[in-house]
């Protein structure tokens, strides 16, 4: 029988404090996420200092809850996986310090995990699992990258954003429309009642695997300035749906183009924006037309969570990966050819 390791995952890179227990890198025993959204809402975005302070207030409770939900205790944990970066440095340091403390007290190893690699590994916690190599789109508030994933820790960047991430485009668009924070979820909900062909917002960098969303943002700004009156509650769904489709179209088109260019028939999508209902629908439809198999984690595993971190950590720990107590957090972890360890 294959050896099944029990790993405690800890994630605190941005505004979610999360802990999870994962068995064998694939089996989710618990997944606790404490969101700070309510504390950042009034500022229209994440305030780094508030984020660090909120992490430190709740992280122990979140870990205790994850252990309780799994029916296990710290004594059962054989390793700890913690997000090392990229992310907000003060936030990362909270998770990292707690992981180090538990590791020190219990004498169990810990490993630092790349958050982006975590988003991709979320798919290994679902029933339908892809085979390496595959194409992955990581689309979140901080990243919009297409990768060729050859193995755990072996990724090649095929395309990336030249300016904003898609999640930022959602958040900033929502702000311009006076819809509040975080914008992605609000636009997603509103757009369900709207007509996506009402306004022809631009799709940039056609033909390339790279992305740019700054032109789209400017285009929304000019559209709003040109109107004689501000949008009414009746207009907003159409504007939201049209703006959303401009983002969705380029994400779908470029990711499937990457799969075709590299003759790969399996595509994984993850990151917060992968929770978008329109993106999921359009991706499934276009992938099917092209004979490409799509792998999409459920929304709760697309947005930030610690289970995805434990999934990567399990692989590292199994291969003998151990990090030292002098390991530091990295706010910008280059996503170039290979994740260096
Ligand atoms: O992966 P994530 O939870 O955190 C980062 O690593 O950035 O992604 C957060 C981003 C935010 O920009 C948020 O607006 C967006 O994901 N998001 C969505 C949806 N849910 C979250 N965007 C579009 N539609 C959604 N349903
Ligand atoms: Zn994320």
């Amino acid at each position: 029988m294959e050896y099944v390791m029990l790993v405690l995952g800890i994630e605190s890179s941005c505004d979610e404090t999360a802990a999870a227990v994962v068995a064998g890198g694939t089996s989710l025993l618990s997944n606790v996420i404490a969101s700070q959204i309510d504390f950042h809402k009034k500022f229209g975005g994440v305030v780094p200092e508030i984020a660090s302070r909120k992490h430190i207030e709740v992280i122990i409770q979140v870990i205790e809850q994850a252990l309780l939900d799994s029916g296990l205790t710290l004594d059962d944990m054989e390793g700890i996986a913690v997000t090392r970066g990229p992310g907000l440095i003060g936030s990362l340091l909270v998770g990292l310090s707690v992981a180090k403390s538990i590791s020190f007290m219990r004498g169990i190893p810990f490993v630092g995990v790349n958050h982006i690699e975590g988003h991709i590994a979320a798919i290994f916690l679902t029933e339908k699992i892809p085979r390496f190599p595959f194409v992955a789109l990581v689309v979140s508030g901080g990243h919009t990258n297409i990768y060729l994933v050859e193995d755990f820790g072996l990724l090649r960047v095929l395309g990336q954003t030249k300016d904003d991430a898609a999640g930022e485009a959602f958040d900033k668009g929502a702000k311009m429309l006076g819809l509040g924070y975080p914008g992605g979820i609000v636009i997603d909900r509103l757009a369900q009642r709207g007509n996506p062909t009402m306004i022809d917002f631009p799709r940039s960098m056609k033909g390339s695997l790279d992305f740019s969303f700054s032109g789209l943002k400017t285009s929304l700004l000019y559209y709003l300035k040109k109107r004689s009156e501000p949008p009414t509650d009746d207009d907003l769904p159409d504007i939201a749906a049209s703006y959303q489709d401009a983002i969705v179209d380029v994400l779908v088109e470029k990711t499937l183009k990457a799969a075709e260019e590299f003759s790969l028939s399996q595509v994984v999508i993850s990151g917060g924006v992968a929770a978008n209902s329109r993106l999921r629908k359009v991706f499934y439809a276009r992938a099917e037309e092209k004979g490409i198999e799509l792998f999409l984690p459920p929304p709760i595993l697309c947005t930030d969570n610690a289970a995805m971190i434990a999934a990567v950590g399990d692989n590292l720990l199994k291969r003998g990966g151990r990090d030292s107590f002098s390991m530091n957090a990295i706010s910008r972890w280059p996503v170039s050819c290979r994740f260096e360890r």
Side-chain angles (χ1 to χ4, degrees):
M1 218 173 76
E2 204 196 331
Y3 167 61
V4 174
M5 186 184 266
L6 288 168
V7 175
L8 172 68
I10 299 174
E11 151 70 35
S12 68
S13 66
C14 190
D15 61 340
E16 260 101 29
T17 320
V21 177
V22 169
T26 56
S27 182
L28 190 56
L29 302 187
S30 67
N31 189 24
V32 177
I33 304 164
S35 173
Q36 305 177 352
I37 283 177
D38 287 345
F39 301 106
H40 300 287
K41 235 180 204 161
K42 56 178 174 287
F43 302 102
V46 178
V47 182
E49 182 171 338
I50 296 178
S52 328
R53 289 177 181 275
K54 291 295 161 193
H55 284 307
I56 207 129
E57 281 174 18
V58 302
I59 195 157
I60 299 296
Q61 264 170 279
V62 167
I63 292 171
E64 277 176 344
Q65 191 61 49
L67 290 167
L68 203 68
D69 290 357
S70 70
L72 299 164
T73 69
L74 261 187
D75 292 336
D76 300 307
M77 298 301 112
E78 293 158 280
I80 303 164
V82 58
T83 306
R84 183 185 183 190
L88 301 170
I89 201 74
S91 291
L92 290 164
L93 289 173
V94 175
L96 194 53
S97 305
V98 172
K100 284 185 186 183
S101 311
I102 300 173
S103 168
F104 179 66
M105 291 305 294
R106 298 282 165 152
I108 50 176
F110 82 96
V111 284
V113 170
N114 185 297
H115 181 84
I116 301 169
E117 205 185 344
H119 272 306
I120 298 172
I123 200 64
F124 296 114
L125 296 160
T126 67
E127 272 177 23
K128 199 179 131 202
I129 287 175
R131 287 179 310 276
F132 294 111
F134 54 80
V135 164
L137 169 71
V138 179
V139 63
S140 68
H143 301 91
T144 304
N145 299 331
I146 303 175
Y147 297 98
L148 194 168
V149 186
E150 296 181 65
D151 202 341
F152 276 100
L154 195 54
L155 296 96
R156 249 170 84 189
V157 182
L158 303 181
Q160 58 195 320
T161 182
K162 298 289 176 201
D163 38 59
D164 290 342
E168 267 178 288
F170 269 108
D171 295 339
K172 290 177 182 171
K175 204 170 185 176
M176 280 188 244
L177 293 169
L179 298 176
Y181 177 84
I185 302 159
V186 193
I187 289 187
D188 188 350
R189 212 173 298 139
L190 199 61
Q192 285 167 16
R193 294 188 276 120
N195 173 3
T197 61
M198 194 63 113
I199 306 149
D200 188 19
F201 286 120
R203 276 74 169 152
S204 61
M205 301 194 76
K206 280 204 176 114
S208 156
L209 294 182
D210 288 328
F211 301 92
S212 166
F213 295 105
S214 62
L216 172 64
K217 260 179 0 196
T218 313
S219 166
L220 175 63
L221 186 72
Y222 282 123
Y223 168 81
L224 293 172
K225 273 191 179 163
K226 252 197 255 157
R227 291 177 59 110
S228 48
E229 312 246 311
T232 64
D233 286 351
D234 285 340
D235 302 330
L236 279 172
D238 291 339
I239 305 172
S242 302
Y243 185 79
Q244 174 176 266
D245 257 35
I247 301 173
V248 166
D249 271 355
V250 292
L251 293 174
V252 174
E253 186 220 312
K254 287 167 191 279
T255 308
L256 297 180
K257 180 175 154 62
E260 287 179 321
E261 273 184 24
F262 288 83
S263 305
L264 292 169
S265 62
Q266 298 196 322
V267 167
V268 172
I269 323 288
S270 199
V273 178
N276 183 271
S277 59
R278 176 79 177 164
L279 181 84
R280 298 173 81 88
K281 202 169 148 197
V282 176
F283 244 124
Y284 273 121
R286 296 213 195 145
E288 196 178 9
E289 279 165 24
K290 291 180 180 287
I292 288 172
E293 200 180 354
L294 200 64
F295 296 77
L296 257 167
I300 192 71
L301 292 176
C302 285
T303 46
D304 287 350
N305 65 84
M308 66 186 198
I309 303 302
V312 178
D314 179 89
N315 183 270
L316 293 169
L317 289 159
K318 258 188 211 142
R319 289 190 285 142
R322 304 281 182 268
D323 278 318
S324 82
F325 289 125
S326 61
M327 191 190 80
N328 215 330
I330 309 175
S331 61
R332 287 176 177 268
W333 196 336
V335 283
S336 55
C337 277
R338 204 188 159 111
F339 287 124
E340 275 161 2
R341 299 201 52 82

